[in-house]
Every structure is written in C-alpha cells, then in structure tokens.
Amino acid sequence: MIASHLLAYYFTELHHDQVQKVDKYLYHLRLSDENLMDVSVRFRREMDKGLGRDTNSTAAVKMLPTYVCSTPDGTEKGDFLALDLGGTNFRVLLVKVSANGKQKVEMENQIYAIPEHIKRGSGSELFDHIAECLASFMDKLGIKDKKLPLGFTFSFPCQQTKLDESILVSWTKGFRSSGVEGKDVVSLLRTAIKKRGDFDIDIVAVINDTVGTMMTCGYDDHNCELGLIVGTGTNACYMEEMRNLELVEGDEGRMCVNLEWGAFGDDGVLEDLRTDFDREIDAGSLNPGQQLFEKMISGMYMGELVRLILVKMAKEQLLFQGQTTPSLLTTGNFLTSYVSTIENDKLVCVDKEGLINAENVLRSLGLDPSAEDCIATHRVSQIVSTRAAHLCAATLVAVLRQIRDNKAAERLRTTIGVDGSVYKNHPQFARRVHKMVRRLAPDCDVRFLKSEDGSGKGAAMVTAVAYRLAAQHAQRQRILDTLRLTHEQLMEVKKRMGEEMVRGLSKQNYEQASVKMLPTYVRSTPDGTEHGDFLALDLGGTNFRVLLVRVRSGKRRSVEMHNKIYAIPQSTMQGTGEELFDHIVQCIADFLEYMGMKGASLPLGFTFSFPCHQSKLDQGILLRWTKGFKASDCVGEDVVMLLKDAIHRREEFDLDVVALVNDTVGTMMTCGYEDPRCEVGLIVGTGTNACYMEEMENVELVEGNEGSMCVNMEWGAFGDHGELDDFSTEFDRTVDDQSTNPGKQRYEKMISGMYLGEIVRNVLLEFTAKGLLFRGKLSERLKTRGIFETKFLSQIESDRLALRQVRTILQHLGLTSSTCEDSILVKEVCSVVACRAAQLCGAGLAAMVDKIRRNRKLERLCITVGVDGTLYKLHPHFSSILQKTVQDLAPLCDVSFLQSEDGSGKGAALITAVACRIRESGRH
C-alpha cells in the first residue's frame, strides 16, 4: 500500500518537473490571452485590407468572393449531381434533397482514381477522364437521359468572377495538367461533355471545400454563416455584407468570402510570434515564405513541428539521454496522427500505463524512452497542438467580430460548420478552440457543428440553393411584372387622361367624366406687383391655422409670414355649423390681438380642403364633409357666407373674404410667385391632385372666352369609370375593396401615400403565402391593415440605409427572424410599387402639359410645375422617376419642378393678393 502511494507521489513529482522543464524550453510557443487578442486584432486589419479594392493586391489574406450569396433555408428540393476533385481520388455523387415537411438528404457516390499520367498530361485528357467517370456513374444509376444540375468542388486556388466560372490560378497537390492554368475549368468540363454527346448536364456552381462545409452545415442549422477546415491544410469562409466587398459590384445582400487565411503572416505581420522551429519548417517546405499561418496550425506540419523540437531537445541533452535515431531525424516521420495518439493519454492517471501511447510512438522511431522522456514528449505535443488551436480561435474571433459589427448586434448568435482531420480526430483540439473563442469573445454565442461530407454534399447544397433562388426569383418577378408598366402602357394612360380632361371641360359630357375639371375662378398667377397685408385661413384637418402674410413688391420683393395653430375640439367638429364657424372667428380674433392688430380689416383668403362646388372665386358650396368633420347645417351651403355670418355675429372686426381655394391651387400660386412660368400645381402626399391654367375658351362651364382660368382637376378620381382597369392588379383591387370608399379615387389609390404602404403589404402577404419570403412564415402584425406605413417605403428605399436598418423596420412589423435576403426583397417590392406610382403620376402630368402646349399651338413648351406633398418631398426616388417619365412621355415640353413652401397658407394669401391686384386695376 505504502509502495503504491510512494509510486504515485514519485510520478506526480516527476510529471511536474518534466512539464516545467518543457514549458521553460518552449516559452515562445505558449501564447497568453493578450498575445492572442493581439493576433485577432492584426487578423481583422488583414481582412480589411483584403476586402478593399485598393489594398487587396498587396494583402496577404485575399478575401476571395465566391459568388455564393445565400445559405440553405430548408426548402431546397430536387436531384443534384456533385463532382469532388481535390486530390488523388475523384468522386461523383448523386444527392437527393427533399423538403416535404422534414428536410432529408440521400446520397449515392462512387470514387474514381485519377492515374498519375493523366494528372501530368494535358488538360483535355484530364477533363475527358472526368466526363468519362461522370458518364459511367450516370449510366450505372440509369439517369443519363436526365439533364441534372451539377455542383463542382474544385479545391485548387481559383479566381472566380461568377458562381459558374472559375479560373485556375495554379495547380497544387501534385497535379500538373497542361493548358489549364489561366483557363475557366467549367468551360473545359462543358467542352469535354459536349464532345462525348451522350449526356448533358447544367453546371450551376463551382466551390471550394470550405464553402461546401458551411453550406452542408447550413442545411441542418440555418444560423450557420461560417465554414472552418482544420485538416491537412486550414481555411475559413463566412457570409460578408456586399457593401464591404469592394471587389464586387453592388452593395446589397451578402456573399460568402473565402478567406484563404493560411497565407496570414506571409507579409511579415506574425514575425514576432514565429519561432526558430516555424522558420525551419518553412525553409524545408515546398513553398518557403508562403502559407506561414497554415504552417503553425494544420495537420500537414503539426507532427513535423513536434519532431523538430524533440530533435533539438535531444541534441541539447534534454531528452533521450542525448540520443537520436535515423528515424527521428527523417523529415515527415513524426505524423500528426501521433500527436493525437499521444495526447489521448490520460495523464491524470499517474501510473506508468498512462504514458503507454507516447512510449509506443517513440519506440516505433527506434528510441528507448524513459518515463521522463514520455512525459516531456506528451507536453511538447500538448504545447504545439494548443498553440495551433488557440491561433485558430484568435482568427475565428476576428471573423465573428466582423459579423457582429456588420449586424450591429450587442450579442452574436451564430454557427460555424467545421471539417478536417485535426479538428475531428485530435482528442483536445476542438475543445481548446471552443474554450478560447468563448474567452476572447464573451459577447458571441457560438455553436460548432461538424460537417458530414462538406466537399461532396456541400457542392450539391450550393447548387440546390442556386436552383431554389432562381426558381423563387422567377416566380417573384412574374408577380412583380404585373406592377411594372411599359412605355406603351404609360403612353396609353397619358392618352386616356387627356380624353377625360376634354370630357370634364365639356358642358355636354362633364357629368359622365371621372376627372371633374372644376373651375376655381383664379384667373391669373402672381406677376410680382402684388402688395399689402393679407390674412389667410387654412382648414383641412383637426388643426386650423391663421396667418398674416405681408407681400412686398418692387426691388425688395418679399413674402413675410406669421402664423398660429389652433386646435379644433372633436365636439366642435361634430357639433353645429354655427359653433364651428364661431370657433374659427374666435381664433381669428385671438390671432389679430396676438399680432397687435385688433379690429383691423384685411382681405382674406380661405384654404378650405373639402369638396366644394365653386361658381365664383369667393363662393363655395360644400358638397360633403370628410376627415372626421360632421358639423350640421353646412352641406349644401356656401362656406364663405357661413364665415361672413359668424364675423358679423361677433361685431368686433370686418374682413373682406376675397378667395376660397384648395391646397393644390395654393401650391401653384406659391411657386408662381417665385417663378412666373409656374402654371401647374401638383400635390402628391397622403392624397394626390393637380391643377393648371386652362384657356377660358375650353372651360365651357364658365361664361367668357378671354384669358385663362385655373382648373382644379380632382384627378384622384381618374379610373373610377374603368379607365385604369387593364393596368390595375389584384393588389390594387384588394386595397380598393378594403378602403372606406370602394370604387372611388382609383388613380389616387395607385399613387398616393395613403395607399402605397397597403399595396406593398399585400404583395408581401402574397410572397409569404407562396413561400417566397420570410420562409413562408406570416407574422400576425403583417396581417393588420395599415401597419406598413408609407413612410417605411421612403426609409427602406433610402440609399443611405443599410439592410440591417431595413431589418429593424421588419422587426417592428413582428418579422423577428427575417433574413438579409428578405430585406433585399422587401426593398425591391417597395421600389417597384413606388416606381409605378411615380410613373402613373408622370403620365397624368404629361397629358396635362401636352394639352397646354397644344392649346397654345406651340412647337415646344417651357413650363414650371409647383409641387407639394410628403411623398414627393420625402421619398428618395419618387421625384426623379416622375420627372424622367414626364420627359419621356412629353418630349416637346421642357418641364421644371419647383417645390412649394406652405402652399395652403401662403398660397391662399397670394391668390387674395392677385385678386386684389386685378380688382384694383379694374377700378382704374
């Protein structure tokens, strides 16, 4: 009993002493957390270099675009062929992917040898051999008559320019086929297959094994966005934001980047961490000065590194009593599998049996090791493999931080797909990588998922994803094409709008017209001689404004405004007409007192944005209340008279109500003050409308043929008699059916801010129901009418907005698991719907300006359009698309656009000023 205790004590002490001795000797191979964090920071800098257009050529870490832009989502299905060429053997696989309720992958494969003479012969011989093997495989399975999609894993250094094109940079792994370097391997394979003529396939994708690993794991875990290989060599890939990938056009979405991280350090950034042993390994390798990081990590070099250390320690009398053997001195004799075997020893068990693996390995090399030698060899192996695992973790952390920053996430949850003999077979390697990743990146929750056959199944998965994306893209485009208008269709809309305008102006037909062409009795735009102080009232919603507008003419021509906003209580909006107009007059009295003008008598313009029938400038019969107003005894009455009666009841001041206007006319007048060529007003906001100066001879509803008059088109109702039915989609019909006024304002419902968000929402619902978006999962919030506000369209289409901000908007809509691809699609839907709105609006405007040109019998017309409205002003592309459409559809008109500032307030005052000027000149 005492003897066994003493023996245990002896081994513990011996173990401790030997470990200390080795640790001291290999001090430089043991990296602290600070060292590793520094490596991580350096690697992140190298990644940035590789991503930059100007710095990529000198970067050691090449960050190669793979043109793989999406990971599996679990809905992939079909039969796919895969080729896997990357060593002495070559594999052909048939991969069957099914998605009916549960994801399933079945594989059949066959391995074919590549004879040495073919590896070193001509390129055409090599690809003829590959085509021959493929034909034999398809023959065996009886699928030669099918044209199947194929993915090609080609694990040699390549330059890719698209998913199905890969230029071989240089052969490695003993291949020397002539005439292949610098050529596209897909073209060479296609040529070989075509030459045979007995089968045909569709080559969809070329990938390397790292990408295959990520895609294979991505099928089982949709959070997988990194691939890692630590085997004979080492490499990694991950999904990068396109906006950071300067080597590729476009900045939307993501693309898998092949890091080629084995070359990290080739530019000298790791010199302070490399030891003499690393330098010796490099000097004796086939590619000195290259793949320096790989030489510190991968299976090809790990055993050799241990051998060099053991030889040096023996020569310095620290091991094997200073003895070496020819076997130990032979390069490549200490296999990396020996490192795994030795570290399988459980050293916590301290009897001598515990070191049996180390002893067996050393004896196989002709050595006669002592217990101390076995313990020291175990420790050397441990230090070398731990350094490899920790360096791998440090670079992984740099990639994780990049992904986390891209997503602007506080915590990152992600999965890494892993393959490679070192990771899978070494007993401690994986655990050490995981532990160090957690230590260096506590803000990342990382799952490591072992890949099963990444290079074969992975190629099929990339192909399956590419096929799914192509099929879904075609289906989505078919739906979106119903919302896209051709030049011919827009010309037809313009023609029909022109016909409706003529009908609306005609005394005989205006009752049947959808576009009512209401006379406004505004006879002139400002000429700059207007002068005086004017009051303006602006009533169009729950708030009500009173303004004092001071118009100055001459050299110091200017418009100065003062205004105050008053609330209209719900009880007043829905009480009697007398209460409403008394409240308005009370607000005017308060304003005049506030301005120090109590009792003043001024001309007044009244912007009254409710449907009215006018028979002169200062009269308007209210047709109906809208916007929540229900004041009694007003409909059918002249609102100007109702205002005047309320002023007289107060007996405090007298006002000269000169003009009743709507906001569209106010917009034209405001801009007309800045630009005398402005003769058109346009509003595209919550609703839409337009007005313009029409020749009096065409305004048949008003007596007289001299001069011109502003016509309020009320064009939102265009289409109410079926004029737009053949351009309207199922989405327009749904929005119309669910609106408060079905069948009315059809043009407005295709254009204005009140409805565009609803159209988008209905398209998104259709996409989701067909499994083309959000992985087919609907959120309850998205089913809610009006939840997709039109302001989201403007925000989503903003060029400055990164896709992660689009995802924030989608999360607000309850779509918490939306992907980057979903964000791109939502952006496309918003773009198509807003583009159609701007084009339809442009077609209406083109009809109007062309009519003005023909009225005036001009070859070319130069005119300005005054514009207001949130959609026009805030949407990033609406105005430019509208302007381009007008230019295309009315090429003989030079149209300028001027944004209005406060058309409903300032405009009403300017109409009053113009009317006063005309009245004055009539008196003289």
Side-chain angles (χ1 to χ4, degrees), residues 659-916:
L660 184 76
V661 298
N662 80 1
D663 47 2
T664 317
V665 182
T667 295
M668 178 186 80
M669 294 301 267
T670 303
C671 295
Y673 187 75
E674 306 294 327
D675 179 348
R677 292 191 318 175
C678 181
E679 298 183 75
V680 177
L682 169 67
I683 287 188
V684 199
T686 313
T688 183
N689 194 13
C691 68
Y692 71 104
M693 297 303 289
E694 177 58 271
E695 305 306 308
M696 276 296 289
E697 61 188 7
N698 297 331
V699 186
E700 294 182 10
L701 294 171
V702 179
E703 292 301 313
N705 286 336
E706 292 302 309
S708 55
M709 180 183 284
C710 177
V711 169
N712 165 19
M713 289 179 65
E714 288 295 341
W715 79 358
F718 177 48
D720 289 5
H721 296 169
E723 303 91 340
L724 292 170
D725 284 1
D726 43 345
F727 304 115
S728 152
T729 66
E730 58 178 297
F731 309 113
D732 297 306
R733 290 186 280 278
T734 304
V735 168
D736 180 48
D737 290 345
Q738 293 175 351
S739 70
T740 50
N741 55 347
K744 301 266 192 300
Q745 301 293 96
R746 296 298 299 270
Y747 186 56
E748 180 169 83
K749 285 170 186 168
M750 295 167 89
I751 289 178
S752 78
M754 192 165 178
Y755 303 99
L756 293 192
E758 259 309 274
I759 297 173
V760 168
R761 187 182 72 84
N762 278 285
V763 177
L764 299 185
L765 288 175
E766 172 81 355
F767 275 8
T768 311
K770 286 189 155 64
L772 304 173
L773 190 63
F774 309 134
R775 293 187 176 153
K777 293 185 182 74
L778 260 186
S779 86
E780 282 306 311
R781 279 177 75 90
L782 194 61
K783 292 181 192 170
T784 312
R785 258 191 71 213
I787 194 83
F788 201 102
E789 298 169 52
T790 295
K791 70 173 183 189
F792 293 157
L793 267 82
S794 298
Q795 290 169 359
I796 284 170
E797 277 206 75
S798 167
D799 294 326
R800 295 186 309 280
L801 202 63
L803 287 172
R804 65 164 182 256
Q805 288 161 291
V806 177
R807 281 178 77 177
T808 307
I809 292 171
L810 294 179
Q811 281 164 355
H812 165 75
L813 297 170
L815 300 156
T816 46
S817 58
S818 66
T819 63
C820 180
E821 287 83 7
D822 290 334
S823 296
I824 294 171
L825 298 174
V826 170
K827 195 168 180 179
E828 185 181 11
V829 173
C830 290
S831 169
V832 169
V833 169
C835 176
R836 182 187 71 152
Q839 287 177 327
L840 282 170
C841 188
L845 204 51
M848 194 196 302
V849 293
D850 240 355
K851 183 173 192 328
I852 296 171
R853 182 184 64 80
R854 288 196 306 276
N855 283 348
R856 297 176 189 178
K857 302 178 174 55
L858 296 171
E859 275 194 27
R860 283 202 86 76
L861 171 73
C862 287
I863 197 164
T864 298
V865 177
V867 203
D868 205 348
T870 47
L871 187 60
Y872 183 91
K873 285 181 169 178
L874 301 180
H875 190 283
H877 308 303
F878 191 95
S879 58
S880 55
I881 297 168
L882 167 68
Q883 290 168 26
K884 185 184 180 302
T885 306
V886 174
Q887 199 182 341
D888 288 350
L889 303 184
L892 299 177
C893 301
D894 299 323
V895 184
S896 307
F897 289 80
L898 183 60
Q899 278 195 32
S900 154
E901 297 308 322
D902 191 24
S904 52
K906 186 170 156 185
L910 284 167
I911 290 169
T912 307
V914 169
C916 288

Side-chain angles (χ1 to χ4, degrees), residues 195-425:
K195 201 158 66 181
R196 291 180 60 86
D198 59 342
F199 70 94
D200 196 10
I201 50 166
D202 181 11
I203 303 172
V204 174
V206 193
I207 61 160
N208 76 4
D209 48 1
T210 319
V211 179
T213 296
M214 179 186 80
M215 295 299 270
T216 302
C217 295
Y219 185 70
D220 298 317
D221 180 340
H222 302 155
N223 286 324
C224 184
E225 49 193 340
L226 287 95
L228 167 68
I229 288 187
V230 194
T232 313
T234 181
N235 193 14
C237 67
Y238 73 105
M239 295 302 288
E240 175 59 272
E241 298 286 327
M242 283 286 284
R243 66 176 187 276
N244 298 331
L245 245 176
E246 293 180 8
L247 297 172
V248 180
E249 287 302 310
D251 58 0
E252 289 197 344
R254 302 197 301 168
M255 182 184 284
C256 179
V257 168
N258 165 18
L259 288 149
E260 288 295 344
W261 78 4
F264 176 39
D266 289 6
D267 55 357
V269 298
L270 293 176
E271 273 320 291
D272 55 330
L273 295 175
R274 291 175 73 229
T275 64
D276 290 342
F277 303 114
D278 295 310
R279 291 188 183 89
E280 196 177 336
I281 274 210
D282 179 46
S285 69
L286 293 169
N287 53 349
Q290 292 177 340
Q291 301 294 98
L292 297 182
F293 185 62
E294 182 168 82
K295 287 168 186 168
M296 295 166 86
I297 287 182
S298 77
M300 192 164 181
Y301 305 99
M302 198 184 282
E304 182 61 10
L305 202 51
V306 172
R307 186 189 72 81
L308 290 174
I309 293 167
L310 296 181
V311 168
K312 192 158 190 280
M313 287 181 79
K315 285 181 175 172
E316 292 179 18
Q317 305 292 317
L318 296 169
L319 280 180
F320 317 129
Q321 295 169 322
Q323 301 296 308
T324 58
T325 63
S327 213
L328 182 65
L329 293 171
T330 305
T331 303
N333 259 8
F334 200 104
L335 307 178
T336 295
S337 61
Y338 294 172
V339 179
S340 298
T341 304
I342 288 168
E343 285 197 65
N344 236 341
D345 285 337
K346 303 284 183 289
L347 273 180
V348 280
C349 164
V350 289
D351 66 23
K352 199 160 187 272
E353 293 301 306
L355 295 172
I356 197 126
N357 290 352
E359 187 182 344
N360 288 344
V361 166
L362 294 171
R363 286 195 186 284
S364 75
L365 294 168
L367 293 156
D368 183 16
S370 64
E372 289 97 324
D373 293 334
C374 294
I375 291 168
T377 302
H378 184 283
R379 185 60 179 163
V380 170
S381 299
Q382 211 173 37
I383 287 172
V384 168
S385 65
T386 299
R387 182 184 73 152
H390 286 177
L391 283 170
C392 188
T395 44
L396 265 184
V397 165
V399 180
L400 290 167
R401 288 247 191 281
Q402 175 82 355
I403 295 173
R404 196 200 63 174
D405 291 353
N406 284 346
K407 293 182 177 179
E410 279 186 35
R411 284 195 79 76
L412 174 69
R413 287 185 64 118
T414 193
T415 299
I416 302 176
V418 202
D419 206 347
S421 52
V422 172
Y423 184 90
K424 285 183 169 177
N425 302 335

